[in-house]
Amino acid sequence: MTPVAVIGAGSWGTTLADLLARKGNPVRLWSYEPEVAREINESRHNSKYLRGIRLAEQITAVTDLRHAVTGAGVVISVSPAQHVRRIMAGAAQWLDPESLVISASKGIEIGTLDTMADVLNEVLPARAAATSCYLSGPSFAMEVAQGKPTAVAIASRDDAAARRAQELLQTDYFRVYTNSDVRGVEIAGALKNVIALAAGMAVGLELGYNAMAALITRGLAEIARLGVALGARPLTFAGLAGLGDLLLTCTGELSRNRSVGAAIGRGQTLEQATAGMAAVVEGVDTTRAARALAERTGIEMPIVEEVYGVLFQGRSPREAVENLMLREPKAEWLDE
């Protein structure tokens, strides 16, 4: 079986490590937090990020990045998006050039507005970067860890690498589809978190189902407009990484971004809503990046603009709703 290194022991990293270990692969799971690694090795649990799930015996948690990566045939990057550059640049020095690298982080780097593919292209050896794969789609970690049926997309510019990743990850409860549109899959996976924050605010304000349907639909239109402007294929946004992940994150109660948005909609500040949360709420940083990308490309993204206003400019969620509803009437499609 293939030795696997999973870089990041949060809920998703731990879940992917467990999935691969249950397929018989020896897995080294790198944790930044020594107490998390210790608990996994001693009790087979990660109570901080994946409470209630007993992990496979084939997982060894480590805190030494060199130990995790050396000799691994597959390396999966699952760190928070704003830390991927630093961590994977460190990992690159011990990476076998023939190793398959899979990114399972969803986000955009604030300082550069780079996607994770852009980041890995800069920090990995050329061959590893050219064959890297990007995992996305509607997949709450807890449900995958519980073995509930899930379908996702794996994107790569290298067809053989995508098929290799597909075979590695596929199980009887985790179905993987290949996709060659890396840009689209990444933009969809990152920006859905911003719309999920807005969806949570709608829940907190008790705006109802009509508002939620409108928000998801128009949010998808914004994501697709930006993605296409950045070189993505339109059809990607109708697929698992686009509509599928957006629906899940906007409507599922396990969504961190939706939960934070709901707390803000009920009157809490961003700081109050995120206090005590162990996991990173990626949509907060992605809102900054999405707004900057919209400005750079000249793409109109009114929902992103209003979420930014609520998070960072003191705008009330109720005022944001009014701003969206009272915008100048338009055709549904911009080319009409």
Side-chain angles (χ1 to χ4, degrees):
M1 302 303 288
T2 304
V4 178
V6 177
I7 309 302
S11 59
W12 194 217
T14 303
T15 295
L16 290 173
D18 189 61
L19 181 152
L20 290 166
R22 291 184 186 280
K23 291 188 68 176
N25 300 286
V27 178
R28 292 191 294 272
L29 174 59
W30 178 81
S31 172
Y32 176 76
E33 300 160 293
E35 66 275 14
V36 171
R38 188 180 310 113
E39 182 188 23
I40 291 171
N41 290 331
E42 292 178 355
S43 72
R44 298 288 98 195
H45 285 88
N46 183 346
S47 59
K48 185 172 184 178
Y49 295 109
L50 201 66
R51 182 175 297 276
I53 300 296
R54 181 170 179 82
L55 303 173
E57 297 293 334
Q58 292 91 337
I59 298 173
T60 302
V62 301
T63 55
D64 185 316
L65 193 57
R66 179 176 185 175
H67 181 197
V69 174
T70 301
V74 176
V75 177
I76 304 180
S77 170
V78 207
S79 301
Q82 306 309 318
H83 300 285
V84 166
R85 182 182 296 274
R86 171 179 57 82
I87 292 171
M88 291 306 292
Q93 59 190 307
W94 300 298
L95 182 71
D96 185 325
E98 299 300 315
S99 294
L100 176 66
V101 176
I102 300 173
S103 171
S105 302
K106 297 176 182 178
I108 298 170
E109 193 175 58
I110 294 176
T112 61
L113 303 185
D114 284 346
T115 66
M116 297 303 96
D118 297 327
V119 171
L120 294 185
N121 282 339
E122 292 182 19
V123 304
L124 294 182
R127 175 169 173 75
T131 59
S132 58
C133 299
Y134 300 85
L135 182 67
S136 195
S139 49
F140 284 145
M142 180 57 74
E143 292 195 356
V144 175
Q146 292 169 339
K148 295 183 177 181
T150 302
V152 297
I154 190 82
S156 180
R157 299 181 183 92
D158 185 294
D159 291 342
R163 290 193 298 272
R164 182 182 171 194
Q166 180 184 45
E167 182 179 358
L168 177 78
L169 292 165
Q170 179 103 8
T171 74
D172 59 356
Y173 62 91
F174 195 71
R175 183 168 178 80
V176 184
Y177 291 85
T178 59
N179 188 317
S180 60
D181 183 13
V182 171
R183 180 69 70 188
V185 165
E186 285 211 289
I187 291 296
L191 267 67
K192 56 94 181 182
N193 286 326
V194 182
I195 308 304
L197 285 167
M201 294 177 200
V203 171
L205 290 169
E206 299 182 355
L207 298 184
Y209 296 117
N210 292 352
M212 184 63 71
L215 182 61
I216 291 171
T217 307
R218 296 309 302 167
L220 183 62
E222 290 190 20
I223 295 171
R225 278 202 303 270
L226 179 64
V228 170
L230 294 173
R233 292 201 305 263
L235 191 59
T236 296
F237 300 98
L240 288 164
L243 179 59
D245 209 1
L246 182 64
L247 280 172
L248 180 74
T249 315
C250 287
T251 62
E253 293 185 357
L254 293 176
S255 167
R256 292 190 298 272
N257 293 281
R258 181 182 184 272
S259 297
V260 168
I264 293 172
R266 290 191 292 264
Q268 292 187 19
T269 65
L270 174 60
E271 292 71 23
Q272 292 169 334
T274 55
M277 295 188 74
V280 172
V281 182
E282 290 281 14
V284 174
D285 283 336
T286 305
T287 299
R288 297 182 189 271
R291 183 174 186 260
L293 280 172
E295 290 180 346
R296 175 190 286 184
T297 56
I299 297 299
E300 187 177 32
M301 302 187 75
I303 298 173
V304 169
E305 184 64 34
E306 294 302 325
V307 172
Y308 184 91
V310 171
L311 296 182
F312 306 116
Q313 295 178 326
R315 191 171 305 156
S316 74
R318 184 70 64 181
E319 181 185 357
V321 173
E322 292 175 358
N323 289 345
L324 288 169
M325 295 302 293
L326 294 175
R327 294 173 65 240
E328 178 186 354
K330 297 177 179 292
E332 183 173 13
W333 308 112
L334 296 181
D335 59 354
E336 290 184 348

